[in-house]
Amino acid sequence: MFNLTDSNILDFALDYDEINDIGCYAKRLEKDMDNNKLESVVNKSDGGINYSFAYQKRLSKPIIDEIDKVLAKHYGFTEEELDFIINYDIKYRMGDELNDNE
C-alpha cells in the first residue's frame, strides 16, 4: 500500500505542459488497470463488507513501456538507458508477478 501525496506529484521534475500526451497515457493506464483489477470481498463478523482490489500491473506493461518511452524522449535518455529502465521494471518491479505465470 502506498499513499500518494501532493508533494510526490508537485516535487517531481516534469513539465506537464511540455508533454502533451502524458494525460492520455495516464488515462489509458488507469482504465487498463481498472479493467484488469481483481476484486476481493470479505464479509466481516459484524455484518459489514470490505471490498479491496488487487491491481495486476503486469497486464498493463505495454502501456507502461509506452509511457517510459515518452519520458525517456523528454529527458533525453539514450536507447541504452531506456532499455535499462524497461528491463529493470521487468526484473525488479514485476519479477514476482511475472514468475506467477510460469
Side-chain angles (χ1 to χ4, degrees), residues 4-100:
L4 188 64
T5 64
D6 288 346
S7 65
N8 292 128
I9 295 171
L10 299 175
D11 293 345
F12 192 76
L14 177 67
D15 184 350
Y16 292 94
D17 293 331
E18 198 173 295
I19 304 178
N20 299 330
D21 295 339
I22 204 71
C24 295
Y25 285 106
K27 288 177 185 174
R28 281 181 53 210
L29 179 59
E30 183 178 9
K31 183 177 179 181
D32 193 63
M33 289 181 69
D34 194 52
N35 288 339
N36 293 316
K37 70 185 177 195
L38 298 175
E39 183 177 0
S40 176
V41 179
V42 176
N43 294 314
K44 299 182 340 182
S45 60
D46 67 1
I49 300 174
N50 274 350
Y51 297 94
S52 64
F53 302 98
Y55 292 91
Q56 303 179 87
K57 60 188 181 287
R58 72 182 181 280
L59 299 177
S60 299
K61 179 73 169 117
I63 298 171
I64 294 168
D65 288 347
E66 288 181 49
I67 293 169
D68 285 340
K69 289 174 186 173
V70 169
L71 293 175
K73 182 178 180 184
H74 174 74
Y75 287 111
F77 292 168
T78 65
E79 286 294 322
E80 184 178 82
E81 290 168 326
L82 175 58
D83 186 61
F84 176 83
I85 290 168
I86 289 173
N87 288 313
Y88 177 90
D89 197 43
I90 291 169
K91 184 175 181 182
Y92 295 103
R93 293 186 187 156
M94 298 189 178
D96 290 341
E97 284 188 20
L98 293 174
N99 290 335
D100 288 346

